[in-house]
Amino acid sequence: MENLSTEKKYVRESRTVKSSVVLPPDTNNHGTLFGGKLMAYIDDVAAISAIRHARKNVVTASTDSVDFLQPIKVGHSVCLESFVTWTKTTSMEVFVKVIAENLLSGERKVCAVSFLTFVALDEDGKPTPVPKAIPETEEEKWLHEHAPERAIARKKRREESKKLAKEFGVKKPWDPV
């Protein structure tokens, strides 16, 4: 469904950056950032971008796969950059890029990328329209142009998840067959 809202916002208005130093409690036995910790950072920074775009409360509707491309070591910084790439009527796709930096050498590496979908909510907790996202940079335009393909894949994956949920249901593992 196309976004029919007449309100528009530039993608840059939703841009959010968050940086942290990776400390020992944030790491696994390999001395690298826990994947779950990084996923929480990703959801947090993406939610801020979605709220900035909609200026409404939001909920995470989906997180596309998070591929850990490079480890993030203790003592390095982790920097997450996010922004709304595309909108439908009540939903927003948010792109997150994760960069690790060796603070002593200055070497930087992209460690993960992810797309998340958020839905804006009104005061009653019901989905509500969001402004259209207007890309300006080449990166923003590329992500915006390819968003419908990702949305189709997301919809297909969601239908498969619904089938799995129905097939496997809520039966307790210890209940007899």
Side-chain angles (χ1 to χ4, degrees):
M1 177 187 282
E2 185 65 27
N3 184 346
L4 302 176
S5 172
T6 57
E7 188 180 356
K8 299 176 183 178
K9 280 193 170 175
Y10 291 106
V11 166
R12 67 177 138 83
E13 296 179 70
S14 68
R15 203 170 283 268
T16 302
V17 177
K18 175 181 185 157
S19 294
S20 294
V21 173
V22 178
L23 299 172
D26 303 325
T27 63
N28 57 31
N29 59 321
H30 304 290
T32 60
L33 185 65
F34 279 120
K37 182 85 169 178
L38 180 58
M39 291 167 65
Y41 285 161
I42 289 169
D43 191 48
D44 182 49
V45 74
I48 293 169
S49 287
I51 293 167
R52 280 185 173 159
H53 184 82
R55 293 296 177 196
K56 300 195 183 308
N57 287 321
V58 300
V59 291
T60 309
S62 73
T63 300
D64 291 6
S65 64
V66 178
D67 294 316
F68 303 103
L69 306 172
Q70 299 284 331
I72 305 171
K73 298 177 182 175
V74 69
H76 291 192
S77 75
V78 59
C79 179
L80 296 92
E81 178 185 350
S82 66
F83 52 89
V84 171
T85 58
W86 188 66
T87 59
K88 289 179 76 177
T89 303
T90 62
S91 64
M92 298 158 278
E93 179 189 76
V94 180
F95 174 67
V96 180
K97 177 173 56 175
V98 180
I99 297 172
E101 179 180 352
N102 179 327
L103 293 170
L104 300 178
S105 71
E107 180 185 12
R108 295 166 50 92
K109 295 179 181 177
V110 175
C111 295
V113 293
S114 186
F115 290 93
L116 297 88
T117 303
F118 288 84
V119 174
L121 302 175
D122 65 16
E123 300 79 24
D124 297 321
K126 303 288 186 211
T128 188
V130 297
K132 292 180 184 178
I134 307 300
E136 297 174 284
T137 68
E138 289 307 311
E139 176 187 43
E140 292 167 357
K141 289 175 184 177
W142 189 92
L143 290 167
H144 185 83
E145 180 183 327
H146 292 88
E149 299 161 31
R150 290 187 299 274
I152 290 167
R154 219 174 270 126
K155 184 176 182 177
K156 183 178 177 183
R157 192 180 67 242
R158 185 173 178 85
E159 291 304 315
E160 184 63 26
S161 292
K162 286 179 181 180
K163 286 180 191 174
L164 287 170
K166 185 177 180 181
E167 178 68 27
F168 296 112
V170 295
K171 184 177 171 291
K172 296 175 191 144
W174 53 83
D175 286 344
V177 178

